[in-house]
Amino acid sequence: MDNRRLIIDSAKELFWHHGYSTTSPKQVMVDAGVGQGSFYHHFPAKADLGQEVVRENGRDLLASVRSAMEGLPTGRQRLAAFLGSAGDALGGCQIGGFAYDAGILAEPALRETLGTAFVELAGLLEQVVREGQDDGSVSPKLDPAKTAAALLAVVEGAFVVARATGRQSYADAATAGALALLEATS
Amino acid sequence: MDNRRLIIDSAKELFWHHGYSTTSPKQVMVDAGVGQGSFYHHFPAKADLGQEVVRENGRDLLASVRSAMEGLPTGRQRLAAFLGSAGDALGGCQIGGFAYDAGILAEPALRETLGTAFVELAGLLEQVVREGQDDGSVSPKLDPAKTAAALLAVVEGAFVVARATGRQSYADAATAGALALLEATS
DNA sequence: GTCTATAAAGGGATAGAC
DNA sequence: GTCTATCCCTTTATAGAC
């Protein structure tokens, strides 16, 4: 099981920063320091590894968002913490890049896993918007699901624009702008 | 229509919907209906074609945003029209997908062209935010650059989430949520 | 400008020994 | 479980004739 974990951990980083389709099994083997025989023993096809990576990166992202929000007293502060997760945008979102990866989209199982990760993240944010409305930090006039979708999109879009321009400042501007809109309504 | 144009037009569609790295010169030749000799005569390397495609898709996107805004009386309405450009998100943004494409990012010239397209789009939106503040349809308390960056990110993120989940409704929710935030402040 | 032939390199595996 | 050898296919071209 040790090599299996080394492979997954390497692939998580490589697929994240370099893309799934554009990273070869060989690159993963080299990075993980395992041989070809070991690789194909644990993952008969590249897509099997992709499945684990998409699932784990989705879970890691959800966990890190929860962790960033933890202990903050108001819903709005927790949403602000989520917006802050685009604070290192040049590396790309752990799962956002998969949405434009033909190799992921072509495999129904990978696509399904990816979609589930986003649905869960959207669900978490919607819940936090509701909590913010309950504690008075978010305007009760806002639709929770739509507001959550907008905030999730801001963060995903911040990653896109930051990577495209090579400038983190665009991500910072986007999240600051979104936070200002949220605060102006409350 | 000369072959060079046929090649570019095919590549614009294919790179847009299927990705740059994940689309081969051969696929472009077949789609365009031109031979290999013709292809490599016009574009000595794939990146030369990529350069034209990124530039033209960027220009097309800017033009279609301008066109969608044209004739609308207030800045806020023009921004709403921009948000509406995520109305068909499942196909992906004409240039957004390039931000996660390793083949684009590895070529400095392509990256530069891509970045320029986003900077121009952000500049246009910032101008429209200012116009909205002048005509009273957008709150004067908002920072124009940050608000523009947020709206651009919402649209790019809407594309990402819609493609990842396979559901257009997530894009619609995101843009509706952003519009509601914008309207609640004015 | 366009054609066909050729080719080096890499991607994505499979086979069988240890 | 891991190793090395092998294999077929695609990608990304290049060469030279028409």
Side-chain angles (χ1 to χ4, degrees):
Chain A
M1 276 296 210
D2 199 29
N3 273 358
R4 181 183 159 85
R5 186 94 307 271
L6 288 173
I7 292 166
I8 293 175
D9 286 342
S10 284
K12 283 168 73 175
E13 288 289 325
L14 290 169
F15 291 174
W16 169 7
H17 295 299
H18 205 254
Y20 170 76
S21 292
T22 43
T23 302
S24 68
K26 181 159 195 172
Q27 287 176 272
V28 177
M29 293 166 209
V30 169
D31 187 79
V34 308
Q36 207 161 14
S38 183
F39 181 92
Y40 281 105
H41 169 73
H42 292 292
F43 301 99
K46 185 186 176 184
D48 297 321
L49 174 57
Q51 177 68 24
E52 289 304 307
V53 168
V54 174
R55 188 203 322 281
E56 289 202 14
N57 274 3
R59 227 175 36 199
D60 290 356
L61 177 57
L62 201 67
S64 78
V65 168
R66 280 192 213 278
S67 166
M69 290 175 165
E70 200 176 350
L72 295 175
T74 70
R76 194 171 82 193
Q77 281 175 288
R78 293 196 288 281
L79 293 174
F82 167 69
L83 288 169
S85 61
D88 183 17
L90 294 177
C93 171
Q94 266 171 303
I95 57 172
F98 297 150
Y100 277 111
D101 192 308
I104 298 280
L105 300 180
E107 294 274 346
L110 295 182
R111 202 179 183 148
E112 176 65 25
T113 303
L114 177 62
T116 299
F118 274 104
V119 168
E120 287 175 357
L121 193 48
L124 169 60
L125 293 173
E126 181 179 339
Q127 185 194 321
V128 176
V129 170
R130 288 185 198 280
E131 291 167 2
Q133 290 177 325
D134 288 347
D135 69 30
S137 64
V138 172
S139 166
K141 279 181 284 187
L142 297 173
D143 178 292
K146 289 177 181 172
T147 305
L151 294 174
L152 176 53
V154 164
V155 168
E156 287 303 325
F159 280 100
V160 168
V161 180
R163 273 172 77 90
T165 59
R167 294 172 181 273
Q168 172 67 34
S169 57
Y170 273 91
D172 296 339
T175 55
L179 190 59
L181 282 170
L182 194 65
E183 291 180 337
T185 64
S186 57
Chain B
M1 225 43 121
D2 59 310
N3 274 356
R4 181 183 160 86
R5 186 95 304 269
L6 288 172
I7 292 166
I8 293 175
D9 286 341
S10 284
K12 283 168 73 176
E13 289 290 325
L14 290 169
F15 292 174
W16 171 4
H17 295 298
H18 204 255
Y20 170 76
S21 292
T22 43
T23 302
S24 68
K26 182 162 193 170
Q27 287 176 273
V28 176
M29 291 166 211
V30 169
D31 188 79
V34 309
Q36 206 162 14
S38 182
F39 181 92
Y40 281 104
H41 169 73
H42 293 293
F43 301 99
K46 184 185 177 184
D48 297 321
L49 174 58
Q51 177 69 24
E52 289 303 306
V53 168
V54 174
R55 190 204 318 283
E56 288 202 14
N57 275 2
R59 225 175 39 198
D60 291 356
L61 177 57
L62 201 68
S64 78
V65 168
R66 280 192 212 279
S67 167
M69 289 176 165
E70 201 176 347
L72 295 175
T74 71
R76 194 172 82 194
Q77 282 175 287
R78 292 196 287 282
L79 294 174
F82 168 69
L83 288 170
S85 61
D88 182 18
L90 294 177
C93 172
Q94 267 171 302
I95 58 172
F98 297 150
Y100 277 111
D101 192 309
I104 298 278
L105 300 179
E107 293 274 345
L110 295 183
R111 201 179 184 148
E112 176 64 25
T113 303
L114 178 61
T116 298
F118 274 104
V119 168
E120 287 176 357
L121 194 48
L124 169 61
L125 293 173
E126 181 179 339
Q127 186 194 321
V128 176
V129 170
R130 288 185 197 281
E131 291 166 2
Q133 291 177 324
D134 288 347
D135 69 28
S137 64
V138 173
S139 167
K141 280 180 282 187
L142 297 174
D143 178 294
K146 290 178 181 171
T147 305
L151 294 174
L152 176 53
V154 164
V155 168
E156 288 302 326
F159 279 100
V160 168
V161 180
R163 273 173 78 89
T165 59
R167 295 172 181 273
Q168 172 66 35
S169 58
Y170 273 90
D172 296 339
T175 55
L179 191 58
L181 283 170
L182 195 66
E183 291 179 337
T185 63
S186 56

